[in-house]
Amino acid sequence: MPTTRRYDAGGRWTVPGRARPTSKSRRGPNPRSRRASVPAGTLYRGREGMWSWVAHRVTGVLIFFFLFVHVLDTALVRVSPEDYDKVVATYKTPLVACLEYGLVAAILFHALNGLRVIAVDFWSKGPRYQKQMLWSVVGLWVVLMIGAIYPVLGHAARELFGS
């Protein structure tokens, strides 16, 4: 004999004769309780996973923009070699050296975080350890970026402050 389902006063399905759970703990955590503890003004309400997702997308767009500009300035050599030489001369300024350091930072974070995403997707325990892997990626990224200061910014420092 089929059971008849009805709506209760809260708009939930009920089965006549079956008791509803009375404590909220049996229904799981209240999804609104976490939202109340989020600081005001944050755009994304996620935690580390959401911010790594945002950083991965932003670094990907920055790398794409760099590649687009790089293809355009390299194509300039066929159109006007003199203008190409002028563009390359601007690349030797300290400001562009700082932008190169930012490019190294974006590529390095995007690559390391991409490896973390692969581990989360294809390792059975990846989702469980994604937070620890993110902090490992950030730590390794900081160490490598400290090591890249002199090779990338050394020329700019010598030009600004002398040798």
Side-chain angles (χ1 to χ4, degrees):
M1 180 168 154
T3 59
T4 326
R5 292 186 177 186
R6 297 184 187 140
Y7 287 107
D8 68 357
R12 293 178 297 262
W13 283 102
T14 61
V15 177
R18 185 178 294 171
R20 283 189 11 230
T22 56
S23 74
K24 289 187 177 188
S25 64
R26 291 187 62 184
R27 292 190 314 191
N30 184 357
R32 294 181 186 159
S33 65
R34 185 169 175 267
R35 288 187 198 141
S37 66
V38 173
T42 57
L43 178 64
Y44 293 97
R45 296 184 178 196
R47 296 192 45 95
E48 294 85 359
M50 177 59 82
W51 290 112
S52 69
W53 180 87
V54 170
H56 197 75
R57 277 19 177 219
V58 168
T59 56
V61 169
L62 291 174
I63 293 165
F64 175 78
F65 178 71
F66 162 76
L67 290 174
F68 180 72
V69 170
H70 179 65
V71 167
L72 286 179
D73 72 4
T74 304
L76 190 60
V77 78
R78 303 277 260 157
V79 177
S80 174
E82 297 82 20
D83 289 337
Y84 174 77
D85 290 338
K86 290 178 188 174
V87 169
V88 169
T90 62
Y91 290 164
K92 296 177 182 175
T93 63
L95 175 66
V96 175
C98 292
L99 293 174
E100 282 180 346
Y101 188 71
L103 177 65
V104 170
I107 290 172
L108 190 59
F109 179 81
H110 193 80
L112 293 172
N113 193 51
L115 293 174
R116 183 191 70 86
V117 169
I118 290 170
V120 169
D121 287 345
F122 292 108
W123 181 34
S124 62
K125 295 181 182 178
R128 183 181 310 156
Y129 296 112
Q130 69 91 18
K131 184 176 178 180
Q132 292 87 344
M133 287 189 291
L134 174 64
W135 289 115
S136 299
V137 162
V138 169
L140 181 60
W141 178 78
V142 167
V143 167
L144 292 173
M145 287 309 298
I146 289 170
I149 288 174
Y150 182 75
V152 177
L153 295 176
H155 178 293
R158 284 189 298 277
E159 190 171 317
L160 285 174
F161 306 114
S163 32

